Amino acid sequence: MVRFSEVELEQPLPTIVAKVTQEMITKFACASLDFNPIHIDPVWAKKVNLLGYGKTIAHGQWTIDKLTQVITNWCYVDGGRLKSIDIKLIHPIFVGDTIKFMGKVVAKHPRKKDSFCEIELWAENQNGEKVAVGVAEVYLP
Amino acid sequence: MRIELSEEAKELVKKYLKTEKQKTYNYDFFIDEEKYIKWEDVDIGMEAWSERVFEVKAEDVEAYLEATENYNPIFRDEEFCKNTVWGKPIAPPMFLTTIAFWLVGDSFVGSWVKTPGAINPGQKIEFYEPIRVGDVIRAKMKAFDKYIKRGKRYLTYYVEYVNQKGDLVAKWWATLILPLTKSHEEHKIEGVWR
């Protein structure tokens, strides 16, 4: 059980790993309705030499979703709840990448009602490059 | 010359279109590109309610969970949820993305989010009332900030999402980097000018 009183600073949250394919990106496009050609059209991405790579990129919203899954997997069953997220996407994610989504507790804010903690969130690719960084505030029971 | 989505891209999209909303949504963002509001046309303070609403259906949430490989019972298992603080399933927090794209449609004030080549630099969101199947969500959008940093054009909208009861669902400071001009990306393609 995840409890505010028992959570410790620097405590890691369970990591999520995902492999990126064009199928996965297009599937997310359909589910999120974000059909930007930057994500779904390899032919166009090659033509415009997108970001100098000429390849489609995964949705930033997919990355943000996976980072929030680090939180929801960790504490939602026990009644934890996201208060806010502030995430920066700092490096593009391409087909073929394997991304790790991670989090750790960095602050605790005890309150009479609705105590919450701060979770540092980040994602990195197979080369150890950070692709996203941010922070989430999470209410814990 | 009009840029179109490639056949290869269309084929793959068609394979994964499942829900009613997905099937009626215009997935070729080049088609209405002329109608999208441009960075230079945005006046800070411009405000509007979404013309459309998002009726949350089970198939919408299911498709989102599948695409994000999310197997948490909190988001789908009625029985399981009875013994939790949630009582019944909720939509995952970032399902808000689907709602956002549905609500902007083709010509609404936030239509710039569909600009081909727009880049997502990161997002800030506050969550309030959870979203559930059966909810009807609408949004109030306000042009919040625009600026140029290292030669790139940033645009931020502040969006409040509310449900059918009038409860606040989320506040989202949505930022994108927009291409310099609409056809900026295409100018790089040799021989293609519009």
Side-chain angles (χ1 to χ4, degrees):
Chain A
M1 288 283 269
V2 177
R3 287 280 171 263
F4 181 80
S5 58
E6 290 162 20
V7 163
E8 286 175 24
L9 295 180
E10 296 299 310
Q11 178 183 328
L13 273 58
T15 297
I16 296 173
V17 181
K19 181 128 175 46
V20 181
T21 62
Q22 186 59 55
E23 285 73 19
M24 187 218 83
I25 294 174
T26 302
K27 221 171 173 180
F28 183 81
C30 294
S32 68
L33 304 176
D34 180 354
F35 294 102
N36 203 302
I38 202 170
H39 307 302
I40 62 168
D41 198 340
V43 179
W44 182 76
K46 197 174 176 186
K47 269 192 208 157
V48 299
N49 192 21
L50 188 69
L51 303 172
Y53 294 87
K55 294 195 280 187
T56 56
I57 56 172
H59 294 76
Q61 293 306 107
W62 175 79
T63 307
I64 294 173
D65 181 277
K66 292 308 253 190
L67 286 171
T68 62
Q69 275 191 48
V70 170
I71 305 287
T72 57
N73 284 354
W74 177 55
C75 68
Y76 265 48
V77 165
D78 297 329
R81 185 164 57 91
L82 261 179
K83 179 175 186 287
S84 73
I85 53 165
D86 189 353
I87 292 167
K88 302 246 180 299
L89 302 161
I90 55 176
H91 188 82
I93 295 176
F94 300 105
V95 168
D97 283 356
T98 300
I99 310 295
K100 265 196 247 176
F101 301 91
M102 290 172 280
K104 69 173 180 184
V105 180
V106 289
K108 288 179 78 174
H109 299 284
R111 296 286 183 271
K112 210 166 176 179
K113 192 175 165 277
D114 291 335
S115 293
F116 64 99
C117 58
E118 266 172 62
I119 308 294
E120 188 181 320
L121 292 170
W122 70 99
E124 50 184 65
N125 65 19
Q126 65 284 355
N127 304 321
E129 292 166 307
K130 281 196 176 158
V131 294
V133 293
V135 65
E137 293 176 313
V138 184
Y139 294 117
L140 288 180
Chain B
M1 181 183 156
R2 171 167 288 287
I3 308 284
E4 269 187 46
L5 211 54
S6 72
E7 284 307 314
E8 185 186 330
K10 284 184 194 169
E11 284 294 305
L12 201 53
V13 165
K14 283 179 196 158
K15 203 171 136 188
Y16 295 119
L17 293 176
K18 279 186 191 148
T19 69
E20 197 190 329
K21 289 191 186 73
Q22 289 168 11
K23 286 176 185 163
T24 57
Y25 198 80
N26 170 21
Y27 60 78
D28 187 339
F29 282 13
F30 290 118
I31 290 178
D32 284 317
E33 197 185 347
E34 306 298 323
K35 293 191 209 159
Y36 303 155
I37 290 183
K38 291 173 294 198
W39 187 89
E40 48 270 44
D41 298 336
V42 173
D43 291 324
I44 298 307
M46 268 175 26
E47 194 178 80
W49 278 98
S50 50
E51 293 161 19
R52 309 216 260 181
V53 296
F54 191 107
E55 292 174 36
V56 184
K57 297 199 171 147
E59 65 170 11
D60 300 326
V61 179
E62 196 50 51
Y64 187 86
L65 290 170
E66 203 193 316
T68 50
E69 298 172 319
N70 192 334
Y71 307 108
N72 195 323
I74 287 295
F75 303 125
R76 60 173 97 216
D77 191 329
E78 296 273 348
E79 279 305 308
F80 182 91
C81 287
K82 281 180 187 163
N83 300 317
T84 70
V85 296
W86 303 101
K88 52 181 190 166
I90 56 169
M94 289 312 297
F95 180 66
L96 216 47
T97 307
T98 312
I99 295 176
F101 274 87
W102 178 258
L103 292 185
V104 296
D106 295 329
S107 57
F108 180 50
V109 289
S111 54
W112 53 272
V113 304
K114 295 164 78 175
T115 309
I119 299 280
N120 184 346
Q123 304 297 326
K124 186 181 160 192
I125 306 171
E126 289 176 9
F127 301 96
Y128 295 89
E129 211 46 46
I131 296 169
R132 292 191 157 97
V133 170
D135 280 357
V136 180
I137 310 291
R138 57 195 194 118
K140 190 163 79 177
M141 292 198 165
K142 191 175 183 178
F144 185 75
D145 198 8
K146 66 175 190 179
Y147 52 97
I148 297 175
K149 198 164 102 184
R150 292 188 209 126
K152 290 176 179 166
R153 294 179 174 201
Y154 289 75
L155 187 53
T156 303
Y157 264 45
Y158 167 66
V159 191
E160 283 183 0
Y161 295 85
V162 296
N163 64 21
Q164 68 286 359
K165 288 178 263 178
D167 300 329
L168 182 63
V169 165
K171 296 178 179 176
W172 184 348
W173 288 264
T175 303
L176 282 185
I177 301 170
L178 294 179
L180 283 177
T181 66
K182 279 202 296 181
S183 50
H184 177 74
E185 295 294 331
E186 284 84 357
H187 283 175
K188 297 180 201 161
I189 309 172
E190 200 182 352
V192 177
W193 292 88
R194 304 194 282 173

